[in-house]
Amino acid sequence: MLEENVAKSSFIYIRYKVGLIFKLLPGTDIWVTPKDMIFWAQNLLHLNTMEALIDRFGYDFITSFHVDLNPFFMHNAFPKNTLAFNALKKAVLATDSRYAHYFMDSLSAYARQLTPYHQTVQEPVEDGISPHFALRVPHVVVSYMSFLGCTQEDGIVCRQDVKAFDCCRFYTIRVKIKADGFVLFHPVQGDPDETSLVGTVVHYGETPLQVEPFSIHVRATSVTDQVIHLHFTKPPFRVIQHHLSVNTLSICLEQDHLASTGDKLCSFHGQKGVLRLIKSLPLLDENIQPDLLVNPYSLFRMTPGQILEGLARGQGKDAQTVRNTEGQVVPHAKAFYAKTFYFPIAYWSSEHFYAPRECTMDKILHQAVKGRSRGGGMRLGNMELFNGLRGNGLAACFEEKFFEHGDRIPNETNATISLPKSVQLVQEDARFFKCQLKYETNPSVTIRKKN
């Protein structure tokens, strides 16, 4: 169960939130979460402090909300367990779309369709409510092996026909409205032509209608002084609902998101990585084609519990034969594969890796400002940089950006040859470690003197 109860005066507000789990409060019929546990203990059991709750039910009661999902947590390093709990708060979990629309204010994405991969992590209580909110996570075949250099660092290779990580996400766009009369909004229901039009704002007043979008993905186009079209720059989408107040228009959009290279996956053990889609993967034991490929060296130091999960609950075993994508047997190849729970995280590569053609330029430096919300320039996050680019064999991008397109500095020994700025930065880093680096340059043209 994934809810959060908030007490205000004499009312209880139920708010859907990913990452919080119900647990039955002993001696009552109330299922509580870590957020409202003290509230119900005070009102029903007269336990006013956390210490009193621990004395009554033990320390394991307050710490077992999340670790019940991972019975092998004690075999992992503490930072990895913490990372898994934090990732679960941003997880894209499977639920009925009818329920998701009720909680769209706090739910950023959900899995639209249940696939054969989605399995219930813990069987819910048959109370008529819990089965509708059972925690379902993709249970996929994971092979721990190297593959074309794509599984180094935190790279995760996924077979392209695995649709377990596709989801549907919500966008809430807000527009500031300035008008002296009556304002109406006419949304566009459905988007068969994949147009960017969201709807039309109509003003029944004397002064011209003025709108100011709060998002850079919303564009306003004036038809007349009293009619303005609103466009969303990420079609296709569906308008779910809208709310018009005195000065603000809020519109909730729904959009299908197919898993793509650059998205993030995570297990209950905190093994988070960047996704890479490939059409076909190696064949194990003649008829087993894994769904995911993970770096074999990423588990043994921090998260051996994931290996134990594969052995205990995922029918894990060593592959006797390994065939490449062309069907040829790879001699002396080794691979361990097992079914493991992996869930997608609400982190979309399309929103963190971008290179706009028109940017807001700094007036002094004459370069793009930092930050996408301000219309800034190209941005690469750490995981996209190290796992997406380096892991997928795009090292030439670094050479081009740091050497060919970098600022130039004069060479001390040969004034006719300039060096990239990155050379000086490497020298400064080397001095920190008490190392002296010297570079020798050769002239690009050799002039031979005639005797």
Side-chain angles (χ1 to χ4, degrees), residues 323-344:
R323 295 180 180 270
N324 58 20
T325 55
E326 298 178 355
Q328 300 175 352
V329 177
V330 181
H332 309 293
K334 297 181 180 180
F336 173 81
Y337 64 96
K339 287 188 176 181
T340 310
F341 285 107
Y342 263 89
F343 54 86

Side-chain angles (χ1 to χ4, degrees), residues 3 28 97 112 133 163 198 227 261 281 284 290 294 359 372 393 398 418:
E3 290 189 11
T28 68
S97 60
R112 172 177 287 276
F133 294 92
K163 303 300 181 182
V198 178
V227 179
T261 298
L281 298 183
L284 308 178
V294 179
C359 305
R372 186 173 187 178
F398 292 96
S418 60

Side-chain angles (χ1 to χ4, degrees), residues 22-78:
F22 270 139
K23 172 164 286 193
L24 181 64
L25 185 63
T28 68
D29 296 330
I30 302 298
W31 293 77
V32 298
T33 68
K35 293 290 185 180
D36 58 12
M37 181 170 50
I38 289 295
F39 171 81
W40 291 110
Q42 290 175 347
N43 288 271
L44 300 179
L45 303 176
H46 305 289
L47 302 176
N48 298 322
T49 62
M50 184 65 71
E51 289 76 10
L53 191 65
I54 295 175
D55 292 339
R56 174 74 66 87
F57 304 116
Y59 189 76
D60 292 340
F61 176 77
I62 66 171
T63 60
S64 58
F65 280 91
H66 294 92
V67 299
D68 283 348
L69 300 177
N70 179 17
F72 306 98
F73 73 96
M74 70 287 294
H75 300 283
N76 301 331
F78 178 78

Side-chain angles (χ1 to χ4, degrees), residues 204-253:
Y204 298 92
E206 298 180 357
T207 61
L209 174 64
Q210 298 180 15
V211 298
E212 181 183 354
F214 291 142
S215 174
I216 62 174
H217 303 298
V218 180
R219 179 170 49 88
T221 304
S222 297
V223 180
T224 64
D225 291 342
Q226 310 298 341
V227 179
I228 294 179
H229 285 331
L230 296 179
H231 296 266
F232 187 63
T233 59
K234 293 184 176 182
F237 54 83
R238 296 175 295 274
V239 179
I240 302 301
Q241 67 178 16
H242 67 276
H243 176 71
L244 181 61
S245 62
V246 178
N247 298 319
T248 306
L249 171 63
S250 299
I251 308 171
C252 184
L253 307 178

Side-chain angles (χ1 to χ4, degrees), residues 3 13 32 43 55 121 126 291 315 351 363 365 428:
E3 290 189 11
Y13 296 90
V32 298
N43 288 271
D55 292 339
V121 181
E126 296 296 336
D291 303 314
Q315 303 173 357
E351 296 186 358
K363 294 182 179 180
L365 301 177
E428 294 176 358

